[in-house]
Amino acid sequence: MNVTKELPLIESVRRFSRADWIVAGTALFIIFNGISVCIGWWVRIPILVQLFPDAPTHFNTALLFILLGVGELGLVLRRRGIVMAIAVAVTCVAGAELAEYALRINLGIDTLFAMPFVGFDAPYPGRMSGNTIACFLLICAAQILMSKPGRDAGAATTAAVILKTLAGGIAFLALLGYEVGLKSAYGWTDAVGMSIRSCAGFLLMFIARIAALWQRDIVDKPSLPSWFLPFLAISVVTITVGLIWIFASPLARPFMLDPLYVEVAHRRSIAMMLSIGTLIVLGAISVLVARHKAVTAHASEKKLSLVMENMSDGIMLMDTKGDVFYQNPASLRIRGFQQSNTNEFTNESQKVTNESHKVTWKAWDESGQLLDPSQWPVPRIIRGEQVKGEVIRARRNDGHEFFAKCNGASIYNDGTLAFSYVTFEDITKRRQAEREVQESEERFRTLANSSPQLASMARADGFILWYNQRWYDYTGTTPEQMEGWGWQSVHDPAVLPTVLNRWRDAIALAQPFEMEFPLRAADGTFRNFLTRVQPMKDSEGRLVQWFGTTTDVDQLKRIEQSLRVTQARLESTLEASSVGTWTWDIASDRLIADEFTARMFSVAADAAAKGLPAAAYLQVVHDEDRADVAEALESAIQRCGAYDIEYRVLQSEGTFRWLQARGRVESDGAGHATYFHGAVIDITDRKLLELSLRDNNQQLKRSNHDLEDFAYIASHDLKTPLGGIKSVALWLEEDLQDLSDESRKLLGLMRSRIKRMETLLDDLLTYSRVGRTDTAASETNLADIFAAIVEVLNPPAHIQVRIEGELPVIVTASAQLEQVLRNLINNAIKHHDKQNGEVVISGKLVGEFVEFVVRDDGPGILPEFHDKIFQLFQTLKRRDEVEGTGMGLAIVKKLVERQHCRITVHSQGNGTGTEFRFRWPTLPSAIYAKELANA
């Protein structure tokens, strides 16, 4: 029975072997060459038709070459229908050409597709030569033989090689005829003769097929194929006979005896003799190699046979028709046949066919369903299916039942089905063991059901299928409610996701499960239980099921919880304080540390809890600090005294952290050091803060220095030329008495601008000195400060400046506070735009601050300008309308923020007035008195 299947085109190309690519590449070259010749006939290009001075390649010849190339592609693509169709077409055309010679008639096929325009010196221009026809017929026959599928194609391959070798020999003789000018060698009829293109095409097809077969059947194969010796013999005979014929020809002999060509003829004779001798030597070597390969193959086959004969699993090999041509003794034993007395792999007594033994057994699948014979593993594999790990229950005709695990598939060679195999593993004992395990489980369940603990059993996938009675009594549930995954209903919903995740992980890894969690009792209360679930595996280590116990540990859990809370409080306190503790048993050199200390010294927490030598901790101390630490430890031990040192330790990620270690040595009655108790504190943040403060102080010093330089420039370098300009303006006004009113107005404007510039420089100097002037705290009466401000500002008569309520007496930096209040009051007076108005100041104590409010009933400030007014050089009116530099409120904001406070403005504009609010710190009297006493 032929079970080969025609694969899709892309899949066929994907399965190409190296041999297939050799043939396919040659076929494509032949096709393209034939197409070029056809184009040459159609468009009349001589160089495409004839390679001078040879015979032209006729259109029919080129067309048949194209068809032969397609046939070769059909062979490698395993499309037998294409090969047969091409062979029929080529045979018909070649047969018609041959009939023209045999019957001496002109059928008109020579000029059917193209009219000759070269080769008119021949009797029949355009007609195919006799040797060309012979080659086409030989290669067609070879293609038909090569297309035969199955294991019986070996003889067909040999015949095909013989035919192609003959065709190659004819083409080779034609080439020699061109070489020596012997027309009878390349033209067997009255036609023009076989062209050089045709000779090359036939030789290429012959060489490509031999190379492909060599790659497929000889390279890395244990023996020579059956076609090799016929190929070698025909090649030697063909070349020898051809050479004798050519050089014995009367036409060739003058050429050989011509004195002008004696040397050339001598070299050619030697080359031909060497060629023949080489072929003979190669043939002898090939025979010896074949013999060696055959011996090696027989030895390998013997070893393979011994292995297969002694395997416990049964093996069957089947040919493409489904006949079993080999099965080992285990297969015979499992399937109920008598074992042969011989063990040779290829012995005919081992062959068993489907017809020679009737079916003597029945088979069921794992579900217990009776299988039809067509659904048994062997018939399915023969049909091309793959069987993997299928278990069947079989009953032989003697009534004995057994279980078998089957695997099998079809084996392809270069895309062609070679044979099929199936293996049988007798698992009867395993199934019996599984039944025994099930019986043991039943006994185990009975024992577990009488236990006071809660117990359960589950399948390998975690599906719980049994609980003992104690479980139902505690939970108040029924078996139907608890089956499978129903146990989730008696778990705490808050803990259930964790339980599920850990249980699923245990199932996936087949590892024991252990966890504590609360379970709901029948009365609705929860108690803590410890659940342990153990995996149960068979003798081969495969997970079979789970058995679990659940123990009431509620009381123990409460005690442990109380201890954990206490321990957690202590650890939290130490952790929050970045403190770790340690104890060093000096005699045994075992230093026990907590988790924080272990982490600081990059030591495993469990190892630190058990105790490590002190050197394990010292080795991570910074190289620059290690000697000081060792010296401090030694000193404390010798003195049995205290220990206090700061040092750096290397962390696992490569960084260093600062630690402060403190401890005390405990001694025995004789004054000898016994234990060393201590603690380590992580002071890295403090050290980093110290470094940061140091850097900030340096930056602040540089900034202050820059500000001092700026203040000096503003007060000296800028004000000096302003003084000169002011003096010049005064001199001009005094010396020039006859100035016009316009000139006097301009001089007045100049003096006003100079005054504004001086004020601006003074304000800039004041702004730059904020925070650098004297900020010493002193007892300050805010009412006195207010009076001094009013006296200095001397507000106009239509504006009243008053205090609302009483101002307290505080301890603060009075100079900065006075400057803030003066700027706010002056700003309110300067921008007031009404005939009568008032500016009110109030202050009250709020904790350790005084909350000040300065308000007026002037024009107010629109909300969109509330942020702008605190910026440098910003005013809401033109400089000519209001005398000012735009620095006052910027200075105020900076002074307030230097006290770590904030100033806000509250106004809607449009004549509603403005209110400024800010807080100012005050030093408590007790602290101030203490500072005075210390001073």
Side-chain angles (χ1 to χ4, degrees):
M1 179 177 63
N2 189 3
V3 294
T4 56
K5 295 182 179 180
E6 193 171 272
L7 297 173
L9 181 61
I10 296 178
E11 182 64 23
S12 298
V13 175
R14 188 180 292 114
R15 290 192 178 189
F16 268 14
S17 62
R18 182 176 298 180
D20 292 335
W21 282 114
I22 293 174
V23 176
T26 304
L28 290 174
F29 177 78
I30 295 297
I31 291 172
F32 292 145
N33 186 59
I35 292 174
S36 68
V37 173
C38 291
I39 294 173
W41 281 103
W42 280 330
V43 299
R44 293 180 175 268
I45 301 176
I47 191 62
L48 296 179
V49 174
Q50 182 178 18
L51 298 176
F52 297 103
D54 73 326
T57 303
H58 298 306
F59 189 95
N60 293 344
T61 304
L63 179 62
L64 294 189
F65 267 115
I66 295 173
L67 294 177
L68 285 184
V70 175
E72 291 293 312
L73 289 177
L75 285 177
V76 296
L77 293 173
R78 291 158 185 86
R79 298 293 193 273
R80 192 162 192 262
I82 295 177
V83 176
M84 297 300 293
I86 294 296
V88 170
V90 173
T91 302
C92 290
V93 175
E97 295 275 3
L98 188 61
E100 287 184 323
Y101 285 113
L103 302 177
R104 298 185 177 276
I105 59 175
N106 187 3
L107 298 177
I109 61 174
D110 305 326
T111 58
L112 181 62
F113 299 103
M115 292 299 297
F117 65 94
V118 293
F120 286 105
D121 55 338
Y124 302 102
R127 179 170 295 184
M128 190 183 303
S129 67
N131 48 356
T132 304
I133 296 172
C135 288
F136 277 131
L137 293 175
L138 289 172
I139 292 180
C140 276
Q143 287 184 347
I144 294 174
L145 292 172
M146 290 292 292
S147 66
K148 185 176 182 181
R151 295 178 59 88
D152 296 335
T157 300
T158 302
V161 169
I162 293 173
L163 294 177
K164 282 204 171 185
T165 304
L166 291 174
I170 294 172
F172 176 73
L173 291 178
L175 280 178
L176 287 178
Y178 275 110
E179 180 69 18
V180 300
L182 182 62
K183 184 178 184 303
S184 61
Y186 62 83
W188 292 0
T189 58
D190 294 336
V192 177
M194 182 185 294
S195 67
I196 293 178
R197 262 202 185 92
S198 299
C199 297
F202 291 129
L203 283 175
L204 279 177
M205 297 178 72
F206 160 68
I207 294 171
R209 176 54 64 183
I210 296 301
L213 291 174
W214 187 285
Q215 183 69 30
R216 189 192 73 179
D217 297 339
I218 296 180
V219 176
D220 296 331
K221 296 298 189 297
S223 60
L224 289 175
S226 58
W227 57 264
F228 181 76
L229 290 179
F231 151 74
L232 190 65
I234 293 175
S235 298
V236 172
V237 171
T238 301
I239 294 174
T240 304
V241 172
L243 290 176
I244 293 174
W245 171 48
I246 287 177
F247 288 104
S249 170
L251 293 177
R253 190 177 296 108
F255 170 78
M256 298 290 295
L257 299 177
D258 192 331
L260 296 176
Y261 301 101
V262 169
E263 186 178 355
V264 175
H266 180 65
R267 287 201 302 269
R268 288 179 179 174
S269 300
I270 293 175
M272 292 176 185
M273 293 174 63
L274 289 177
S275 299
I276 297 173
T278 301
L279 288 174
I280 296 173
V281 171
L282 288 177
I285 294 175
S286 299
V287 171
L288 294 177
V289 171
R291 176 61 182 169
H292 176 70
K293 286 188 175 184
V295 172
T296 304
H298 181 73
S300 301
E301 195 173 78
K302 184 70 174 180
K303 294 177 183 178
L304 178 61
S305 176
L306 291 175
V307 171
M308 298 180 69
E309 296 295 332
N310 290 279
M311 288 180 63
S312 60
D313 293 349
I315 299 177
M316 289 175 52
L317 304 180
M318 296 154 288
D319 59 20
T320 57
K321 296 181 179 180
D323 292 335
V324 179
F325 64 88
Y326 172 78
Q327 57 180 326
N328 65 348
S331 174
L332 294 170
R333 172 179 54 80
I334 294 173
R335 299 178 67 244
F337 297 120
Q338 292 295 324
Q339 183 175 345
S340 175
N341 294 326
T342 59
N343 292 324
E344 281 296 327
F345 182 63
T346 57
N347 193 288
E348 290 296 326
S349 63
Q350 290 282 342
K351 294 189 177 182
V352 181
T353 63
N354 293 338
E355 291 76 15
S356 60
H357 291 279
K358 300 299 182 181
V359 175
T360 58
W361 51 302
K362 295 182 179 180
W364 294 262
D365 59 16
E366 280 195 286
S367 63
Q369 182 178 359
L370 181 63
L371 296 176
D372 184 79
S374 62
Q375 296 300 317
W376 293 355
V378 172
R380 289 168 53 200
I381 293 171
I382 293 174
R383 291 197 300 269
E385 299 182 24
Q386 184 177 10
V387 174
K388 187 175 182 180
E390 292 190 10
V391 177
I392 61 171
R393 178 172 63 92
R395 180 183 297 162
R396 292 202 297 249
N397 57 346
D398 58 3
H400 175 69
E401 288 190 355
F402 65 93
F403 288 87
K405 186 176 182 181
C406 304
N407 292 278
S410 297
I411 303 300
Y412 291 85
N413 183 15
D414 291 330
T416 303
L417 179 64
F419 64 94
S420 302
Y421 77 93
V422 62
T423 64
F424 301 97
E425 179 186 359
D426 191 350
I427 59 172
T428 305
K429 293 183 178 180
R430 183 193 307 170
R431 288 304 175 98
Q432 291 175 350
E434 291 175 357
R435 285 198 297 268
E436 293 175 358
V437 169
Q438 292 176 355
E439 295 173 358
S440 177
E441 286 180 358
E442 290 297 331
R443 294 192 297 269
F444 193 70
R445 290 180 184 179
T446 303
L447 177 62
N449 205 29
S450 61
S451 172
Q453 293 177 306
L454 311 185
S456 61
M457 296 183 70
R459 295 195 310 232
D461 60 358
F463 184 93
I464 298 183
L465 46 83
W466 175 84
Y467 293 94
N468 66 348
Q469 189 58 40
R470 176 71 173 169
W471 173 276
Y472 298 116
D473 294 341
Y474 173 77
T475 59
T477 57
T478 63
E480 291 76 15
Q481 294 172 331
M482 290 293 100
E483 185 179 15
W485 297 80
W487 50 268
Q488 300 178 54
S489 62
V490 297
H491 276 255
D492 187 349
V495 186
L496 182 59
T498 304
V499 177
L500 284 171
N501 289 335
R502 293 184 57 178
W503 174 230
R504 286 168 179 156
D505 291 342
I507 294 172
L509 300 174
Q511 296 295 325
F513 171 85
E514 181 174 337
M515 185 178 178
E516 291 183 10
F517 45 75
L519 291 177
R520 189 184 66 233
D523 58 2
T525 60
F526 282 90
R527 293 183 65 84
N528 290 302
F529 284 83
L530 171 63
T531 296
R532 291 190 177 96
V533 185
Q534 291 292 331
M536 301 178 65
K537 301 179 181 180
D538 58 17
S539 59
E540 298 182 1
R542 291 178 299 188
L543 180 63
V544 178
Q545 62 183 35
W546 300 83
F547 180 78
T549 60
T550 304
T551 307
D552 189 345
V553 293
D554 191 75
Q555 187 64 30
L556 179 61
K557 186 73 174 179
R558 295 179 189 277
I559 296 173
E560 289 180 352
Q561 182 66 22
S562 178
L563 292 175
R564 278 197 296 268
V565 170
T566 304
Q567 181 69 19
R569 287 174 182 171
L570 177 59
E571 291 178 354
S572 298
T573 302
L574 294 176
E575 186 71 22
S577 305
S578 296
V579 177
T581 60
W582 49 270
T583 296
W584 183 15
D585 185 349
I586 300 174
S588 62
D589 190 20
R590 191 166 62 96
L591 195 150
I592 300 174
D594 62 4
E595 183 178 354
F596 178 83
T597 304
R599 187 167 67 251
M600 289 296 101
F601 285 87
S602 301
V603 176
D606 53 350
K610 295 178 182 178
L612 293 170
Y617 295 86
L618 281 175
Q619 66 181 1
V620 298
V621 176
H622 197 286
D623 294 341
E624 298 176 0
D625 303 335
R626 190 176 299 127
D628 296 336
V629 174
E631 183 180 351
L633 288 171
E634 185 65 28
S635 176
I637 292 173
Q638 290 178 357
R639 294 182 290 102
C640 291
Y643 165 72
D644 191 348
I645 190 173
E646 295 179 358
Y647 53 86
R648 292 161 289 178
V649 291
L650 178 65
Q651 302 297 290
S652 58
E653 65 271 14
T655 61
F656 284 94
R657 297 194 71 84
W658 277 94
L659 298 180
Q660 181 179 16
R662 293 178 178 177
R664 181 170 293 276
V665 177
E666 179 183 335
S667 61
D668 56 14
H672 299 121
T674 54
Y675 291 96
F676 201 153
H677 307 286
V680 291
I681 307 172
D682 186 358
I683 59 172
T684 304
D685 294 340
R686 190 190 79 190
K687 285 290 185 179
L688 294 177
L689 182 59
E690 291 176 358
L691 294 174
S692 177
L693 289 175
R694 188 184 307 163
D695 293 340
N696 290 339
N697 287 337
Q698 292 177 356
Q699 294 178 6
L700 184 59
K701 288 179 181 179
R702 289 194 297 268
S703 177
N704 288 340
H705 180 71
D706 293 341
L707 287 174
E708 289 175 359
D709 291 344
F710 173 76
Y712 176 78
I713 293 171
S715 63
H716 184 271
D717 294 357
L718 294 179
K719 293 181 73 174
T720 298
L722 286 177
I725 296 171
K726 184 177 181 181
S727 298
V728 170
L730 290 174
W731 294 343
L732 289 173
E733 189 174 3
E734 291 174 357
D735 294 343
L736 301 175
Q737 299 296 331
D738 55 350
L739 288 173
S740 64
D741 293 339
E742 181 65 25
S743 297
R744 291 183 185 278
K745 181 179 178 182
L746 291 175
L747 287 173
L749 183 60
M750 180 187 295
R751 289 196 301 274
S752 174
R753 293 292 186 269
I754 293 172
K755 182 179 180 182
R756 179 182 297 173
M757 182 62 73
E758 289 177 340
T759 304
L760 175 60
L761 292 175
D762 290 338
D763 289 345
L764 283 172
L765 183 59
T766 301
Y767 185 83
S768 66
R769 288 177 176 173
V770 171
R772 298 187 295 110
T773 56
D774 183 19
T775 58
S778 62
E779 190 173 60
T780 304
N781 190 330
L782 296 180
D784 294 341
I785 291 179
F786 175 75
I789 292 172
V790 173
E791 182 179 356
V792 171
L793 295 178
N794 190 21
H798 68 281
I799 295 178
Q800 179 185 3
V801 181
R802 64 183 180 85
I803 298 174
E804 186 176 72
E806 294 184 0
L807 295 178
V809 177
I810 61 175
V811 177
T812 187
S814 59
Q816 285 77 15
L817 177 59
E818 181 179 353
Q819 189 174 3
V820 172
L821 293 174
R822 183 171 65 249
N823 281 349
L824 290 175
I825 295 172
N826 183 44
N827 203 60
I829 294 172
K830 183 168 52 178
H831 291 280
H832 206 286
D833 62 346
K834 297 180 181 178
Q835 294 181 354
N836 295 303
E838 67 175 359
V839 179
V840 181
I841 179 174
S842 64
K844 61 179 180 179
L845 284 171
V846 180
E848 295 182 357
F849 296 89
V850 178
E851 187 175 276
F852 289 95
V853 178
V854 179
R855 71 175 185 274
D856 63 68
D857 56 355
I861 302 172
L862 293 173
E864 57 264 29
F865 299 116
H866 286 183
D867 292 331
K868 181 179 179 181
I869 60 176
F870 291 107
Q871 300 174 8
L872 290 173
F873 311 117
Q874 297 296 325
T875 60
L876 300 183
K877 294 184 179 180
R878 294 177 56 194
R879 302 295 174 86
D880 295 337
E881 296 179 9
V882 177
E883 192 69 27
T885 62
M887 294 286 295
L889 290 179
I891 294 173
V892 168
K893 181 182 179 185
K894 189 171 182 180
L895 287 170
V896 172
E897 290 179 347
R898 290 291 298 181
Q899 302 298 324
H900 305 291
C901 295
R902 181 170 172 264
I903 185 170
T904 58
V905 59
H906 304 273
S907 175
Q908 297 299 321
N910 299 322
T912 58
T914 304
E915 180 179 281
F916 289 92
R917 292 178 175 270
F918 68 93
R919 286 188 173 188
W920 194 269
T922 176
L923 191 65
S925 300
I927 298 177
Y928 176 64
K930 184 176 181 181
E931 289 183 353
L932 288 178
N934 293 334

